[in-house]
Amino acid sequence: FSFYTISFKGESFAAGAARLARLGFDAVEVPGDPELFDGKAVSAALAGTGLKASGVCGRMYGPERDLTTADPA
């Protein structure tokens, strides 16, 4: 099983990964937002918990990441 840690609002990726490992998850979806998550810290959390990365999930909300537009171009 896999889960995306963004659901644990206000908790670090490492803390969320540790929680998922304790709950018996095998993998975690890695946040694909390098402005908010340090890749080395994410790698260390994965190594420390034994979890695998099941995928990379980008944040696709907010005006700067909106995939819809009224612009016909």
Side-chain angles (χ1 to χ4, degrees):
F1 291 107
S2 177
F3 194 80
Y4 190 27
T5 59
I6 200 79
S7 300
F8 303 138
K9 294 186 186 282
E11 189 170 83
S12 70
F13 177 82
R19 176 196 306 249
L20 293 174
R22 284 192 309 273
L23 292 172
F25 282 80
D26 301 310
V28 61
E29 295 174 0
V30 176
D33 194 338
E35 298 152 356
L36 298 177
F37 296 94
D38 174 46
K40 290 181 182 180
V42 169
S43 293
L46 293 175
T49 60
L51 292 173
K52 303 286 185 218
S54 62
V56 177
C57 300
R59 292 182 319 135
M60 302 312 289
Y61 51 87
E64 71 280 356
R65 295 173 187 246
D66 190 354
L67 297 179
T68 62
T69 179
D71 184 352

